Amino acid sequence: MKCRNNTGFNGKGGFTLTELLVASSISMIVATVALSSYIYVFKTWRNMDGKVTADQDLNIAVSRMIYGVGDRLGLRAASSVQLSTSGGWQVSYVTGVSTRQTNSFTYSSANQTLVFNPGSRVIARGITSSSAAYLTNSLSVTLRIDRTEGRLPVRREVGTKIFWRN
């Protein structure tokens, strides 16, 4: 007795053209959805990365204004403060500790930098706009960064009121 191999479809194995077209269409839809999701997640991640970097830059600059740079004290330890505005602003202050220090922060709108003196140390770059206002025993400061990460625009702004203790 001979054993027959039953493959169906008149003894021929394989897929029909309709089955191949349906499977290809489904595969293309799945690939398109996966690629679109990847691109969306990548753009979102890149945009968030740009925002986080800008936030870090602004927070470091504000922290240095408040607490100081290196062994030099910041505005928190000021005993007298002077604010001048011309092409940006400059805050000059004297600390009221046993060894008095005279320091300043200068924002230049032309260079988009925030500089600490003495030493002309740049503590922030790419500051597109900033404002400073002298209030009774405090200083109100706003810093803004506008950048483009790839084709995505990033705008971050931080404002604070710095009170001096002395």
Side-chain angles (χ1 to χ4, degrees):
M1 193 183 261
K2 246 182 178 181
C3 197
R4 288 185 168 202
N5 187 4
N6 190 2
T7 58
F9 302 111
N10 299 329
K12 296 180 181 178
F15 298 105
T16 64
L17 180 60
T18 305
E19 291 172 328
L20 287 174
L21 288 175
V22 168
S24 296
S25 298
I26 292 171
S27 297
M28 290 300 288
I29 291 170
V30 169
T32 302
V33 168
L35 185 60
S36 297
S37 297
Y38 173 77
I39 290 170
Y40 174 76
V41 167
F42 182 73
K43 281 183 178 180
T44 303
W45 172 80
R46 188 154 171 146
N47 192 9
M48 289 304 296
D49 184 53
K51 288 179 180 180
V52 167
T53 302
D55 282 340
Q56 287 174 342
D57 293 345
L58 290 173
N59 288 332
I60 288 170
V62 168
S63 178
R64 288 179 176 165
M65 289 180 72
I66 295 169
Y67 299 109
V69 178
D71 63 342
R72 307 297 290 195
L73 298 174
L75 284 164
R76 192 171 182 189
S79 59
S80 68
V81 177
Q82 291 181 331
L83 174 64
S84 62
T85 56
S86 172
W89 51 261
Q90 180 175 10
V91 176
S92 300
Y93 63 100
V94 177
T95 59
V97 294
S98 58
T99 49
R100 297 175 61 86
Q101 299 175 349
T102 302
N103 304 323
S104 69
F105 290 97
T106 306
Y107 168 70
S108 168
S109 57
N111 297 334
Q112 297 185 342
T113 57
L114 184 59
V115 178
F116 176 77
N117 279 304
S120 297
R121 184 170 176 186
V122 176
I123 61 169
R125 296 182 193 281
I127 307 292
T128 52
S129 72
S130 179
S131 64
Y134 183 81
L135 308 168
T136 307
N137 79 338
S138 68
L139 182 73
S140 177
V141 177
T142 303
L143 303 172
R144 186 173 82 199
I145 291 179
D146 293 306
R147 294 183 182 160
T148 303
E149 298 288 334
R151 290 184 290 175
L152 301 172
V154 172
R155 173 176 278 184
R156 304 308 281 174
E157 184 172 271
V158 66
T160 190
K161 203 182 246 189
I162 304 168
F163 292 90
W164 38 88
R165 294 182 182 179
N166 302 320

